[in-house]
Amino acid sequence: MSAPTVSRTQDSLLTPGQVAAMFHVDPKTVTRWAHAGRLGSLRTPGGHRRFRESEVLQLLDSLTTEASRH
Amino acid sequence: MSAPTVSRTQDSLLTPGQVAAMFHVDPKTVTRWAHAGRLGSLRTPGGHRRFRESEVLQLLDSLTTEASRH
DNA sequence: CCTGACTCGGGTAATTGGGGTG
DNA sequence: CATGTCCCAATTACCCGAGTCA
């Protein structure tokens, strides 16, 4: 894999608690979104979920811009 | 500081019940305000609304300062 | 190695959303 | 015209004990 494909997306991984704070919801709710396919879930060897900052930001943006629909 | 890339990621969000308590009205009424365009409505993937604390505070302040704004 | 804080998992309670009505 | 209350279904919030992360 010395491929220069540079898949280096500067994606910081956020914990459920951090994402929950951004949406003002419970960490369990964020877990449900991941389970519903709303967010990609990265799993640590221990089973903990981790979310990509870019994905969370994108989802947050889509929910934030919902005020100008129509 | 124009900071065009940093604006939609640091706002406290309130639940309809919390906003309703601040205005002393029913959550249903707050929902109608959002539907009328008086409040920006942030929707969770599940369909629940979330309101910006700054927007609610501003609306509350305008109602508290001037009840005859016409 | 141990500690502190957070997360996981399932289940239940409370709240929310939408429509229709007064 | 705006607000309050009813129904139902869906979503979200909090409880416990155990494990994992840093």
Side-chain angles (χ1 to χ4, degrees), chain B residues 3-26:
Chain B
T5 28
V6 58
S7 303
R8 263 100 191 155
T9 32
Q10 203 72 69
D11 271 295
S12 298
L13 299 174
L14 302 174
T15 59
Q18 179 69 332
V19 179
M22 296 167 75
F23 286 86
H24 215 274
V25 295
D26 278 66

Side-chain angles (χ1 to χ4, degrees), chain B residues 25-26 28-29 32-33 38 44 46 48:
Chain B
V25 295
D26 278 66
K28 234 54 170 180
T29 303
R32 283 185 182 124
W33 293 348
R38 284 186 236 242
T44 64
H48 283 207

Side-chain angles (χ1 to χ4, degrees), chain B:
Chain B
M1 284 66 154
S2 320
T5 28
V6 58
S7 303
R8 263 100 191 155
T9 32
Q10 203 72 69
D11 271 295
S12 298
L13 299 174
L14 302 174
T15 59
Q18 179 69 332
V19 179
M22 296 167 75
F23 286 86
H24 215 274
V25 295
D26 278 66
K28 234 54 170 180
T29 303
V30 180
T31 296
R32 283 185 182 124
W33 293 348
H35 191 256
R38 284 186 236 242
L39 280 172
S41 55
L42 286 270
R43 316 262 302 206
T44 64
H48 283 207
R49 287 186 184 84
R50 222 114 271 174
F51 304 95
R52 292 186 176 280
E53 183 186 54
S54 45
E55 265 200 68
V56 176
L57 254 33
Q58 187 176 298
L59 178 60
L60 185 62
D61 179 70
S62 61
L63 294 175
T64 308
T65 308
E66 244 191 297
S68 310
R69 238 299 180 161
H70 238 223

Side-chain angles (χ1 to χ4, degrees), chain A residues 4-5 11 13 16-17 21-22 27 31 34 45-47 50 55 59 62 66:
Chain A
T5 330
D11 285 334
L13 296 176
M22 297 166 79
T31 296
R50 212 119 279 175
E55 256 200 82
L59 177 61
S62 59
E66 211 54 43

